[in-house]
Amino acid sequence: MSSPAATSTNAEPTTPALRDFGGGPFGIYIHVPFCATRCGYCDFNTYTAGELGTSASPQSWLEGLRGELATAAARFGDLPSATPPVETVFVGGGTPSLLGGDGLASVLDAVRANFTLTPGAEVTTESNPESTAPAFFDRIRAAGYTRVSLGMQSAAQHVLSVLDRTHTPGRAVAAAKEARAAGFDHVNLDLIYGTPGESDADLDASLDAVLAAGVDHVSAYSLIVEDGTALARRVRRGELPAPDEDVLAARYERIDARLSAAGLTWYEVSNWAAGDSARCRHNLGYWDGGDWLGAGPGAHSHVGGVRWWNVKHPARYVDRVATGDLPAAGWETLTEDERYTERVMLTLRLRTGLPLTDLAPEAAPAIARAERDGLARRTGTHLILTDAGRLLADGVVRDLLV
């Protein structure tokens, strides 16, 4: 076993990280921490205007973002490898669309002012259907965004109500069509399945709506009751039942069958795309063990086997950036064992599977068990999950890592 990870708090991580940057695919994630309301199931680092008061605003956040990107670019520029070209940008949250078209254009301007985007770079923003409109999509398309991800979750009003989502059931489909009309070839819709009270008919209606929207990418996630959320408190009080594992498995199979029949093929356990060009290249960077800079409050970065994470509160984030330092709350150097664990956990979830050469010899019995139980198969070079294995992916990973 290798030694434990070297971990530090309140220290800049960039020198050891950037020294080992390998020059491979590089992306930038930007975290927008603002939401109009708080969804009951969400445990992301987000804040409503009422929660922030006068301590922070989109304007102060944008100034902080500009400062962080400039500082990070300078750290890269001090090294022989220089500032790496950026192949993907992903603006997430929170609700990036609350910034409006001009605000999101300013975000991308801040990236371009400090980093060079490669020709054909993928530039994605998440959006809430209720804070979009045709003019919004026209503006961000003109600014250089190439991909939009819309939070739909469900087409059933009572399901949206349980999730505390504020958009109307038909708005996500309308927004997807508006994005396509604005020139976006790549549009994703997010679904959440297994919400208490959701029926098979509700799920079918959601899938009907997704397919009617004509999108080329769908993400579908089972509902997870996260500690500390309003949903967790409701489940704990007995107001709502916890999601049922057997129901979740059946719903997943239903989703996969409908999307596959419509020409959307799974390429990661929770993601389906209409061809290679529709796949989210930024997320593939995560799953393939790539490097990325995370900017914004609470964002995580990974470069050269070093991970660091920013301070969470927007006001503290802005204050830290103003000092001229990166706003890191802490960092760690991953050990070989930790990098191996992450490689197995993430890459096995891909349709292309995990190279057998990446697995330790000690994993041989677990590979044999997965094959015997019909959960995985060997292609000669890779270990790939079967359809049954996708339902039990976490268990297969645990067994491989024992």
Side-chain angles (χ1 to χ4, degrees):
M1 297 291 289
S2 61
S3 60
T7 303
S8 178
T9 58
N10 299 318
E12 277 214 20
T14 51
T15 299
L18 301 187
R19 182 183 298 125
D20 294 332
F21 177 67
F26 181 74
I28 293 179
Y29 170 77
I30 294 174
H31 187 71
V32 181
F34 308 109
C35 281
T37 60
R38 182 172 296 282
C39 297
Y41 63 92
C42 180
D43 70 339
F44 294 165
N45 186 44
T46 62
Y47 305 83
T48 64
E51 290 169 337
L52 287 174
T54 59
S55 67
S57 68
Q59 292 73 33
S60 65
W61 167 85
L62 181 58
E63 284 305 308
L65 177 70
R66 291 184 178 120
E68 182 184 7
L69 291 173
T71 299
R75 299 299 192 274
F76 276 109
D78 288 341
L79 295 163
S81 59
T83 305
V86 177
E87 297 193 10
T88 64
V89 177
F90 195 106
V91 184
T95 310
S97 50
L98 284 179
L99 300 176
D102 289 342
L104 282 172
S106 295
V107 168
L108 193 51
D109 286 342
V111 173
R112 289 196 181 106
N114 296 285
F115 293 85
T116 300
L117 271 62
T118 61
E122 175 192 86
V123 183
T124 303
T125 183
E126 294 180 335
S127 297
N128 186 315
E130 287 297 325
S131 53
T132 63
F136 167 84
F137 292 117
D138 288 339
R139 179 69 179 95
I140 63 172
R141 185 71 188 95
Y145 286 83
T146 66
R147 188 172 179 275
V148 173
S149 182
L150 294 158
M152 175 179 171
Q153 321 315 346
S154 176
Q157 181 61 63
H158 69 96
V159 173
L160 294 175
S161 296
V162 171
L163 297 173
D164 293 323
R165 296 288 295 187
T166 58
H167 65 266
T168 55
R171 177 57 201 153
V173 171
K177 292 180 178 179
E178 290 166 3
R180 296 298 297 269
F184 282 95
D185 294 326
H186 304 306
V187 181
N188 171 68
L189 285 173
D190 276 348
L191 290 177
I192 290 178
Y193 61 93
T195 301
E198 179 191 59
S199 66
D200 286 346
D202 293 329
L203 180 61
D204 287 341
S206 296
L207 292 168
D208 289 342
V210 165
L211 297 176
V215 297
D216 66 344
H217 192 286
V218 177
S219 300
Y221 304 101
S222 63
L223 179 66
I224 297 175
V225 180
E226 301 284 2
D227 290 340
T229 62
L231 180 63
R233 291 190 288 273
R234 295 184 68 187
V235 170
R236 188 169 58 249
R237 290 194 298 262
E239 297 173 13
L240 294 171
D244 181 275
E245 293 296 327
D246 291 336
V247 171
L248 292 176
R251 296 270 163 80
Y252 180 87
E253 291 176 327
R254 201 179 192 95
I255 291 167
D256 185 51
R258 286 290 306 279
L259 296 180
S260 297
L264 292 159
T265 304
W266 80 279
Y267 70 99
E268 190 274 342
V269 168
S270 298
N271 290 272
W272 291 257
D276 291 352
S277 65
R279 297 176 179 181
C280 180
R281 288 160 49 195
H282 185 84
N283 286 342
L284 281 168
Y286 297 151
W287 300 320
D288 277 335
D291 290 318
W292 71 92
L293 171 70
H300 284 230
S301 300
H302 175 273
V303 178
V306 177
R307 179 184 292 117
W308 67 93
W309 48 95
N310 286 350
V311 295
K312 286 188 171 183
H313 196 279
R316 188 171 174 226
Y317 165 78
V318 171
D319 289 343
R320 284 288 300 275
V321 171
T323 67
D325 294 330
L326 286 177
W331 63 274
E332 62 181 355
T333 300
L334 300 178
T335 66
E336 288 302 315
D337 284 347
E338 289 168 333
R339 296 178 78 166
Y340 173 75
T341 295
E342 293 198 357
R343 176 74 170 157
V344 174
M345 287 176 59
L346 296 173
T347 308
L348 189 63
R349 294 176 61 88
L350 295 171
R351 186 184 186 93
T352 50
L354 178 67
L356 289 165
T357 53
D358 285 357
L359 287 165
E362 294 79 10
I367 295 172
R369 282 191 296 272
E371 288 186 299
R372 181 196 64 208
D373 295 340
L375 302 179
R377 59 185 176 85
R378 276 182 275 201
T379 65
T381 59
H382 286 67
L383 184 68
I384 296 175
L385 293 174
T386 63
D387 289 347
R390 278 190 279 160
L391 296 172
L392 299 169
D394 291 345
V396 176
V397 167
R398 284 194 298 269
D399 200 24
L400 287 170
L401 293 175
V402 169

